[in-house]
Amino acid sequence: MEVILETKNLSKHYGRIKAVDNLDLQIGKGMVFGLLGPNGSGKTTTLGMVLDVINKTAGQYYWFGEHPTKEHRKRIGAILETPVFYPYLSGARNLELVCDIKGVPYSRIAEVIDQVGLTGRENDKFKTYSLGMKQRLSIASALLSDPEVMILDEPTNGLDPQGIAAIRDLISQIAATDKTILLASHLLDEVQKVCSHFAVLKNGRLIHSGPVAEVGQGQVQVEVMANQDLQELLTALEWVTALRKEGNKYVATLQDGHTAADLNAYLYEKGVVAHHLVMVVKSLEKQFLEILNQSK
């Protein structure tokens, strides 16, 4: 794996407050990496440090396997906090100013405007844009230099469900162009749908990191109901490791290697026909809460 960003014992302290504390991360090329955590967990501070807009207290970070330089910064497109544009200028004119700052030809503007879905509104004043359109324009400005890496801090913050879906689709489209994306979010559904990997921060410390695909793997849970009480049958089954009752149904936790089909076959052998048999898929939200609780 080619490592794009690595942090080693990266820390930021404000007096006795440890906003980020000895953070170790590795983000590989092509990953869509989500930073999760409650408010105040250190997500934005971490992004600020690796973008060199917040001075670190201790530790190191490396871009593209090297100590960070101004040349590396040119390979990164970033949106931190609320994007700032001139309200009385059009979207396209605002992007021209960004081009002037970044040394990018104006010919890129039409490309990124189309990429973010603002074609037809590029000549309208920024102040007439909806919140979602403003966020898409900010993503367009970050894309102007065709960066290898995109850093997005709470890209759907404040948007309605339709706006969230539009930005989520845009992030997926950008990821499909082989860019590496690092985004901070508190929306678990957003991370589960667009990210390949995620990390959980709490009080500035890393408490979990891994692929999103691993969420829900491990022991299988199955909801089951029948026209008779199943407690005795399920308790007697050696590969049911835990059992709880929720209303009229039982939730059985099965050992690795066993499935809902195995449970159905067992009940059928015992002369019981289940009229409700559903495998419970663990959501990122549930795993996130479990991780936070385990770290107490």
Side-chain angles (χ1 to χ4, degrees):
M1 178 185 72
E2 180 183 347
V3 178
I4 297 297
L5 172 64
E6 182 176 16
T7 69
K8 291 184 177 180
N9 298 317
L10 189 62
S11 301
K12 178 61 179 179
H13 301 166
Y14 297 97
R16 291 183 297 177
I17 298 173
K18 297 181 179 180
V20 177
D21 191 22
N22 292 315
L23 180 62
D24 292 336
L25 282 179
Q26 272 197 350
I27 299 173
K29 183 177 176 61
M31 285 185 181
V32 183
F33 196 100
L35 274 183
L36 277 173
N39 290 336
S41 61
K43 304 187 297 295
T44 298
T45 303
T46 297
L47 298 186
M49 284 191 288
V50 300
L51 287 171
D52 203 28
V53 297
I54 295 177
N55 292 326
K56 60 184 175 64
T57 301
Q60 299 293 333
Y61 64 93
Y62 305 92
W63 280 110
F64 311 101
E66 299 173 353
H67 285 284
T69 66
K70 290 183 178 179
E71 290 303 311
H72 292 144
R73 185 65 183 83
K74 294 177 182 178
R75 300 163 68 182
I76 303 164
I79 304 169
L80 280 185
E81 304 294 348
T82 305
V84 178
F85 292 101
Y86 290 101
Y88 291 97
L89 296 181
S90 69
R93 180 59 185 139
N94 271 292
L95 292 183
E96 287 178 356
L97 297 178
V98 177
C99 286
D100 293 339
I101 294 169
K102 294 186 175 183
V104 175
Y106 289 174
S107 59
R108 280 285 296 157
I109 293 174
E111 296 177 45
V112 298
I113 284 287
D114 181 64
Q115 189 172 356
V116 302
L118 286 178
T119 300
R121 295 296 305 272
E122 65 269 31
N123 294 319
D124 295 341
K125 292 180 179 179
F126 179 75
K127 67 177 183 177
T128 68
Y129 285 5
S130 68
L131 186 59
M133 292 171 65
K134 290 176 179 178
Q135 192 67 354
R136 280 185 274 160
L137 187 71
S138 66
I139 292 174
S141 71
L143 286 169
L144 279 169
S145 60
D146 194 20
E148 298 172 45
V149 182
M150 291 285 289
I151 294 182
L152 309 172
D153 185 19
E154 300 282 2
T156 60
N157 198 26
L159 301 183
D160 60 20
Q162 185 177 6
I164 290 172
I167 295 298
R168 181 192 300 142
D169 289 345
L170 177 56
I171 292 171
S172 296
Q173 292 168 18
I174 294 170
T177 63
D178 293 328
K179 295 189 189 300
T180 302
I181 298 175
L182 171 59
L183 67 89
S185 179
H186 65 278
L187 297 179
L188 306 174
D189 184 58
E190 175 180 78
V191 170
Q192 187 154 18
K193 287 182 176 177
V194 304
C195 293
S196 60
H197 295 73
F198 75 108
V200 179
L201 303 183
K202 182 180 180 183
N203 297 327
R205 296 188 66 86
L206 177 69
I207 57 177
H208 178 85
S209 183
V212 171
E214 290 183 356
V215 173
Q217 291 186 353
Q219 292 182 322
V220 173
Q221 288 191 327
V222 179
E223 292 180 355
V224 58
M225 285 194 299
N227 291 325
Q228 66 185 74
D229 189 77
L230 299 173
Q231 182 163 357
E232 186 175 343
L233 282 174
L234 295 176
T235 303
L237 196 54
E238 61 183 13
W239 38 270
V240 171
T241 60
L243 185 68
R244 71 178 187 273
K245 192 171 185 180
E246 294 183 354
N248 295 324
K249 66 188 176 188
Y250 284 94
V251 179
T253 302
L254 313 184
Q255 283 181 353
D256 287 347
H258 294 277
T259 66
D262 297 331
L263 184 59
N264 192 40
Y266 165 77
L267 292 175
Y268 187 78
E269 288 175 4
K270 298 297 183 181
V272 177
V273 177
H275 58 75
H276 176 85
L277 190 72
V278 177
M279 188 172 72
V280 180
V281 178
K282 185 186 291 185
S283 67
L284 181 58
E285 179 179 23
K286 186 171 183 180
Q287 178 150 335
F288 175 73
L289 294 174
E290 288 177 358
I291 290 167
L292 291 181
N293 289 332
Q294 289 167 5
S295 69
K296 288 180 178 178

